[in-house]
Amino acid sequence: MMISLPMTHGLILAGILFALGLVGVLVRRNIIFMLLSIEIMLNASGLAFITAGAQRGDPDGQIMFLFILTMAAAEVSVGLALILQFYHRFKTLDADAADRMRG
Amino acid sequence: MNALFYISAIVAVISTLLVITRANAVHALLYLIVSLLSISLIFYLFGAPLAAILEVIIYAGAIVVLFVFVVMMLNMGPQTLVQEQQWVRRRVWLGPSILGAILLAELIYITMAGGGHTTTARVIGIKAVGLTLFGSYLLGVELASLLLLAGLIGAYHLGRRKFHRTVSRGTS
């Protein structure tokens, strides 16, 4: 399957998705939605790697995507465990509930 | 073939926009699945079938299922929807959205200034990726396994109930 695709548009799509994830992290107060937005940002960076790898024609882009995938899986498991602890302690999902460190 | 890319790109952007604006977490997760599937189609069009498969299996499968389980365990009632709509008001989302749009405009400008490459995508199969992954990136694979082990132990340690009580008693 030989297809010609505008690689610049792929990079722009990755940029749009990354910006949407960034705005989601900044805007939302619910901590679950913040973690979801971080996942969107990681996925967008993976799309940028795949696009660059397709442009260069070598498998390195896909390998970097695999590493991003591994990191996202480890990050989301720890993050969701932290969210469960957060909810058991504060009885809310508001990220502002943990705005001070009582060391 | 280009039309497929643009259609799935538009679907990805719209569904991602819906993910970050929904009040209900389960609705946001369902839109996230749509977004991930459209990005998976884009991976396939860019000649990366292994990445497309893994996007469906790991992102849309495992990670979203983890999110769904946590949303179920938190057991949030209908009053959280009202609370969520109060949290995200116009004056809250306006500033970050403008700043994010400025950064995105700069990013698009820089990308367009680099020249519009139209490259013929060659399919890079699973065999080529596997040979490179277990060849020159073998150390990265080992480090990824260490990272996954750390994530497993961290999730087990943090996921226990009444963890903070035992720690506060133990240290004080």
Side-chain angles (χ1 to χ4, degrees):
Chain A
M1 188 177 64
M2 297 292 278
I3 48 174
S4 74
L5 280 169
M7 296 300 169
T8 315
H9 294 180
L11 289 178
I12 287 174
L13 175 66
I16 291 171
L17 292 176
F18 191 88
L20 282 175
L22 179 66
V23 170
V25 171
L26 292 175
V27 167
R28 300 306 293 254
R29 278 173 74 182
N30 192 327
I31 198 164
I32 285 184
F33 282 91
M34 293 170 80
L35 197 60
L36 265 180
S37 304
I38 291 172
E39 289 302 310
I40 292 170
M41 289 163 76
L42 283 174
N43 200 23
S45 58
L47 176 61
F49 270 113
I50 293 280
T51 311
Q55 193 169 4
R56 289 167 54 90
D58 56 16
D60 291 355
Q62 289 191 55
I63 286 164
M64 289 315 290
F65 175 75
L66 284 181
F67 288 150
I68 289 174
L69 202 68
T70 312
M71 199 270 288
E75 177 250 341
V76 82
S77 60
V78 175
L80 286 171
L82 279 172
I83 285 177
L84 283 177
Q85 283 292 329
F86 185 94
Y87 189 73
H88 288 144
R89 181 181 290 210
F90 295 107
K91 300 298 174 203
T92 178
L93 287 174
D94 188 0
D96 289 351
D99 60 347
R100 59 185 62 184
M101 298 171 74
R102 302 183 190 86
Chain B
M1 276 301 195
N2 277 6
L4 281 179
F5 168 73
Y6 290 114
I7 290 169
S8 48
I10 290 167
V11 170
V13 170
I14 291 173
S15 54
T16 308
L17 200 61
L18 287 168
V19 169
I20 64 170
T21 51
R22 291 303 94 183
N24 194 329
V26 178
H27 295 176
L29 282 169
L30 292 177
Y31 280 120
L32 182 68
I33 291 177
V34 177
S35 169
L36 294 173
L37 290 181
S38 55
I39 293 173
S40 162
L41 184 61
I42 291 172
F43 285 169
Y44 185 73
L45 290 177
F46 277 168
L50 180 65
I53 295 166
L54 287 176
E55 177 93 4
V56 174
I57 293 175
I58 295 180
Y59 260 112
I63 290 180
V64 174
V65 166
L66 268 180
F67 269 103
V68 169
F69 270 120
V70 167
V71 170
M72 278 166 56
M73 283 171 75
L74 293 180
N75 199 10
M76 293 176 291
Q79 74 276 4
T80 53
L81 279 180
V82 182
Q83 195 181 32
E84 189 70 33
Q85 281 156 0
Q86 286 171 350
W87 281 351
V88 184
R89 290 213 192 96
R90 183 188 173 85
R91 62 182 176 86
V92 174
W93 61 255
L94 200 60
S97 304
I98 291 172
L99 293 177
I102 291 171
L103 284 178
L104 176 64
E106 284 185 359
L107 192 63
I108 289 176
Y109 176 74
I110 293 170
T111 313
M112 296 295 275
H117 296 287
T118 305
T119 317
T120 312
R122 189 168 53 86
V123 176
I124 301 161
I126 297 175
K127 189 178 176 185
V129 176
L131 280 175
T132 316
L133 184 65
F134 291 102
S136 50
Y137 286 96
L138 192 60
L139 188 64
V141 175
E142 301 288 342
L143 288 174
S145 69
L146 268 181
L147 179 70
L148 283 174
L149 180 66
L152 179 70
I153 294 172
Y156 173 71
H157 181 68
L158 290 168
R160 287 183 302 171
R161 292 280 180 101
K162 293 169 184 171
F163 160 68
H164 55 282
R165 287 184 192 166
T166 58
V167 163
S168 60
R169 277 177 195 163
T171 53
S172 62

